[in-house]
């Protein structure tokens, strides 16, 4: 790992509790520019929670998040951690793209409208410029011909590609993928996978939470296995799948997945 | 015993016959008062035709003579014929008076009303309609004005109340809960009374129209507030997350993503509320507003004529029908992204 560079995003001692359950229990993680990180693990292991805390959709209870070296998004009040004002948090989120398991496209906007929405509303770009960016992004995910239809008419794979284009239109520095293929029919996984693969080849920094081992094998610079809110194992994909088979928990998990 | 009774019965019949004959032959011709009394007796027994026959014996006065008894008798005959459903005879009797006394107002009114009664019902109804329409139209315009004002005010008020209710700032959320609790929990009539009759004692005097618009506006804002809140909360949580993930503020997410998606879901319940509103405007007739209901009520009380009420019902139905169609159209438009 290239440690002389500054991490794009760095997590220190992240703890997230839900009532009685501790979802993330003291995680440290640094993601470097251009890195492709894949987090795997059984459901309930805290991997989605960790991912969502990276763009402040999940409010952590303890820890520090640094974005480009600066402590980001939280203030201390009465000895407790609080999410900062939205004037602070929203611009941070605008630099981090997120793709959800269930797409969450805006159903009342056309495909083009969905992709334009970020540049238009958040970055306050003129409509013509936002439109040009959106058309660019739609071309990138191969859906230029669908620009005027509503999301309801798209297949799951197409929806997810539009969702990726929507996130990319903000020109983010980091892309987070939260199980991007888990809600798709098996025959539709390929097109989404290819889209993410192409993005990786362009050098985008990305963190992917997935059950899809193809991501880990083909895309990842680093694979992290998470369970019970902590990192159990971590490594480059080649060694990870060979060496970690000695680990009981990982072996059980992988044997169920593959 | 029975025989004696039987015989005395026959005697009585014979005597009565003799008496009537005698009256017919001598008495009536000279004594209109007695004939009138006799006719009244027959009427009392239910023999209207008999009474007519008796009254007919009162002669027309000699020229220049006193004719009051004649006039009274002919008008009575006319009324009796009218009661028996014999309109031609009734008119003839009244016209006998008019031949001698063309200015007799009672006879003239009688002829006019009988002629009107002889018209087909729909002609009468249509004439009444024409007579009542101007007053009702004024009332209908006022009702429409009240409805439109409330339709403009209440969605704005409702949205503010809804956003307040789901606010994380506790003071605002509790205040909005209280507003809804109060205005949904008390009768609109009472609220209108309070605003119009109660506020002056606090030094705030409002014109009836202002009071009515405020009362309806606030009341419907409270109802729409709960409907809009339900609509906002029915939008899948992922939509808010996706908007936030793009970097939108809460306000941007609401305005661009969440609220536009509620339109289609809100149209049916809001349409319902506005239909109810059209009818609830009738309540403001109690605070000195002359709208459709009040106008119809005034006509009804003046003319004791149901036509005014029927007309008002028709106007209300026209309003509600038009609004129903408009809302169906809007609902379709609002959900167009689901049809394509």
């Amino acid at each position: 790992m290239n440690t002389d560079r500054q991490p794009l995003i760095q997590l220190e001692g992240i703890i997230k509790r839900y009532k009685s359950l501790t979802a993330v229990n003291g995680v440290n993680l640094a993601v470097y520019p251009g890195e492709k990180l894949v987090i795997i693990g059984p459901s309930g292991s805290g991997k989605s929670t960790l991912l969502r805390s990276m763009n402040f959709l999940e409010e952590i209870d303890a820890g520090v998040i640094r974005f480009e070296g600066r402590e980001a998004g939280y203030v201390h009040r009465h000895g407790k951690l609080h999410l900062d004002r939205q004037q602070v948090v929203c611009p941070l989120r605008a630099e981090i793209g997120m793709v959800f398991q269930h797409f969450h496209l805006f159903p009342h906007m056309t495909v083009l409208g969905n992709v334009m929405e970020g540049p238009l509303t958040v970055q306050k770009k003129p409509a013509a410029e936002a439109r040009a960016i959106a058309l660019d992004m739609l071309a990138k995910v191969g859906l230029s011909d669908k620009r005027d239809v509503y999301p309801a008419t798209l297949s799951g794979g197409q929806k997810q590609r539009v969702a990726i284009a929507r996130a990319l239109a903000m020109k983010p520095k980091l892309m987070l993928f939260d199980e991007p293929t888990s809600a798709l029919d098996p025959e539709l996984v390929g097109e989404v996978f290819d889209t993410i693969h192409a993005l990786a080849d362009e050098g985008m920094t990305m963190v992917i939470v997935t059950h899809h081992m193809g991501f880990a094998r083909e895309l990842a610079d680093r694979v992290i296995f998470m369970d019970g809110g902590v990192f159990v194992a971590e490594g480059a994909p080649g060694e990870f799948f060979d060496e970690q088979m000695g680990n009981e928990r990982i072996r059980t998990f992988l044997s169920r997945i593959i | 015993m029975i025989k004696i009774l039987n015989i005395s019965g026959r005697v009585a019949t014979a005597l009565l016959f003799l008496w009537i004959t005698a009256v017919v032959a001598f008495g009536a011709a000279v004594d209109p008062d007695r004939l009138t009394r006799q006719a009244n007796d027959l009427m009392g027994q239910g023999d209207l035709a008999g009474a007519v026959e008796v009254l007919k014996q009162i002669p027309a006065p000699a020229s220049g003579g006193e004719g009051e008894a004649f006039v009274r008798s002919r008008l009575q005959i006319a009324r009796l014929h009218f009661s028996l459903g014999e309109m031609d005879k009734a008119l003839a009797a009244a016209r006998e008076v008019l031949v001698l006394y063309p200015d007799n107002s009672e006879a003239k009114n009688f002829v006019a009303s009988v002629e009107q009664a002889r018209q087909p019902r729909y002609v009468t109804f249509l004439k009444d309609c024409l007579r009542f329409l101007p007053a009702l139209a004024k009332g209908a315009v006022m009702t429409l004005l009240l409805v439109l004002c409330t339709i403009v005010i209440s969605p704005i008020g409702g949205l503010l109340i809804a956003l307040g209710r789901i606010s994380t700032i506790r003071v605002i959320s509790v205040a909005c809960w209280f507003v809804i609790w109060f205005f949904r929990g008390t009768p609109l009539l009472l609220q209108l009374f309070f605003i119009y009759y109660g506020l002056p004692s606090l030094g705030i005097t409002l014109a009836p129209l202002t009071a009515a618009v405020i009362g309806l506006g606030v009341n419907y804002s409270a109802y729409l507030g709960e409907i809009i809140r339900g609509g906002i909360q029915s939008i899948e949580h992922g939509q808010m997350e996706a908007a936030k993930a793009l970097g939108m503020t809460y306000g941007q997410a609401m305005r661009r993503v969440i609220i536009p998606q509620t339109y289609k879901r809100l149209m049916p319940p809001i349409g319902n509320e506005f239909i109810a509103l059209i009818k609830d405007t009738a309540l403001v007739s109690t605070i000195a507003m002359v709208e459709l209901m009040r106008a119809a009520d005034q006509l009804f009380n003046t003319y004791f004529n149901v036509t005014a009420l029927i007309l008002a019902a028709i106007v209300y139905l026209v309003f509600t029908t038009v609004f129903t169609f408009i809302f169906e159209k809007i609902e379709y438009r609002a959900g167009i992204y689901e049809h394509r």
Side-chain angles (χ1 to χ4, degrees), chain B residues 215-230:
Chain B
L216 288 169
V218 173
N219 186 271
Y220 273 83
S221 292
Y223 275 95
L224 294 196
E226 278 301 80
I227 293 174
I228 293 171
R229 179 179 67 87

Side-chain angles (χ1 to χ4, degrees), chain A residues 52 86 105 108 117 153, chain B residues 239 241 250 252 256 340:
Chain A
R52 289 159 52 81
Q86 50 180 8
L105 292 180
H108 58 302
E117 188 57 24
T153 60
Chain B
Q239 291 292 315
E241 293 218 316
Y250 180 81
Q252 287 171 333
R256 297 286 301 173
R340 278 187 190 158

Side-chain angles (χ1 to χ4, degrees), chain A residues 4-21:
Chain A
D4 51 297
R5 279 193 298 165
Q6 187 185 53
L8 182 58
I9 190 165
Q10 189 171 13
L11 311 180
E12 292 168 16
I14 304 298
I15 294 175
K16 171 67 188 178
R17 294 187 198 90
Y18 297 110
K19 287 180 183 142
S20 60
L21 176 91

Side-chain angles (χ1 to χ4, degrees), chain A residues 37-93:
Chain A
L37 175 67
V38 172
I39 304 175
I40 59 172
S43 27
S45 60
K47 56 192 192 309
S48 276
T49 306
L50 182 67
L51 189 79
R52 289 159 52 81
S53 73
M54 288 188 206
N55 73 342
F56 312 98
L57 282 181
E58 212 70 69
E59 192 171 354
I60 57 172
D61 295 301
V64 175
I65 297 174
R66 288 179 213 281
F67 190 74
E68 296 184 309
R70 282 191 308 278
E71 213 173 301
Y74 286 88
V75 289
H76 289 272
R77 220 184 296 138
H78 312 299
K80 269 185 73 185
L81 215 49
H82 291 275
L83 206 56
D84 209 340
R85 293 165 301 136
Q86 50 180 8
Q87 290 93 314
V88 174
V89 174
C90 291
L92 281 168
R93 287 194 184 121

Side-chain angles (χ1 to χ4, degrees), chain A:
Chain A
M1 197 48 51
N2 191 350
T3 46
D4 51 297
R5 279 193 298 165
Q6 187 185 53
L8 182 58
I9 190 165
Q10 189 171 13
L11 311 180
E12 292 168 16
I14 304 298
I15 294 175
K16 171 67 188 178
R17 294 187 198 90
Y18 297 110
K19 287 180 183 142
S20 60
L21 176 91
T22 303
V24 178
N25 198 359
V27 162
N28 297 309
L29 173 67
V31 182
Y32 291 87
E35 195 181 5
K36 288 97 184 93
L37 175 67
V38 172
I39 304 175
I40 59 172
S43 27
S45 60
K47 56 192 192 309
S48 276
T49 306
L50 182 67
L51 189 79
R52 289 159 52 81
S53 73
M54 288 188 206
N55 73 342
F56 312 98
L57 282 181
E58 212 70 69
E59 192 171 354
I60 57 172
D61 295 301
V64 175
I65 297 174
R66 288 179 213 281
F67 190 74
E68 296 184 309
R70 282 191 308 278
E71 213 173 301
Y74 286 88
V75 289
H76 289 272
R77 220 184 296 138
H78 312 299
K80 269 185 73 185
L81 215 49
H82 291 275
L83 206 56
D84 209 340
R85 293 165 301 136
Q86 50 180 8
Q87 290 93 314
V88 174
V89 174
C90 291
L92 281 168
R93 287 194 184 121
E95 307 232 41
I96 303 170
M98 175 115 183
V99 172
F100 299 88
Q101 180 179 356
H102 294 289
F103 332 127
H104 300 324
L105 292 180
F106 305 135
H108 58 302
M109 298 177 189
T110 61
V111 164
L112 185 64
N114 267 274
V115 183
M116 280 174 68
E117 188 57 24
L120 199 63
T121 302
V122 179
Q123 296 175 331
K124 308 242 187 289
K125 293 200 163 135
E129 193 185 337
R131 189 183 155 85
I133 294 170
L135 288 173
D136 240 25
M137 294 305 146
L138 281 177
K140 187 176 263 188
V141 299
L143 285 172
S144 298
D145 57 325
K146 295 286 185 189
R147 65 185 193 193
D148 292 325
V149 305
Y150 286 93
T153 60
L154 299 178
S155 73
Q158 290 170 332
K159 282 181 190 168
Q160 196 59 298
R161 283 150 66 199
V162 173
I164 292 170
R166 179 176 66 179
L168 289 178
M170 293 293 289
K171 304 269 155 68
K173 292 175 175 156
L174 170 67
M175 282 289 287
L176 306 175
F177 293 88
D178 189 4
E179 307 201 16
T181 56
S182 298
L184 298 176
D185 291 337
E187 74 272 19
L188 300 177
V189 169
E191 57 184 271
V192 173
F193 180 75
D194 291 344
T195 306
I196 297 174
H197 209 305
L199 196 58
D201 290 345
E202 287 178 19
M204 175 64 78
T205 312
M206 46 178 75
V207 180
I208 306 169
V209 164
T210 186
H211 286 135
H212 186 76
M213 286 307 128
F215 279 115
R217 285 179 192 282
E218 292 185 38
L219 266 175
D221 299 327
R222 186 158 50 127
V223 180
I224 290 173
F225 181 81
M226 201 173 169
D227 198 9
V230 294
F231 291 171
V232 176
E234 164 170 6
E239 30 185 296
F240 183 87
F241 288 104
D242 299 335
E243 292 171 15
Q244 298 298 334
M245 292 309 272
N247 185 314
E248 172 71 36
R249 276 200 283 184
I250 298 177
R251 195 174 57 237
T252 320
F253 173 70
L254 291 178
S255 66
R256 268 190 285 120
I257 294 288
I258 303 168

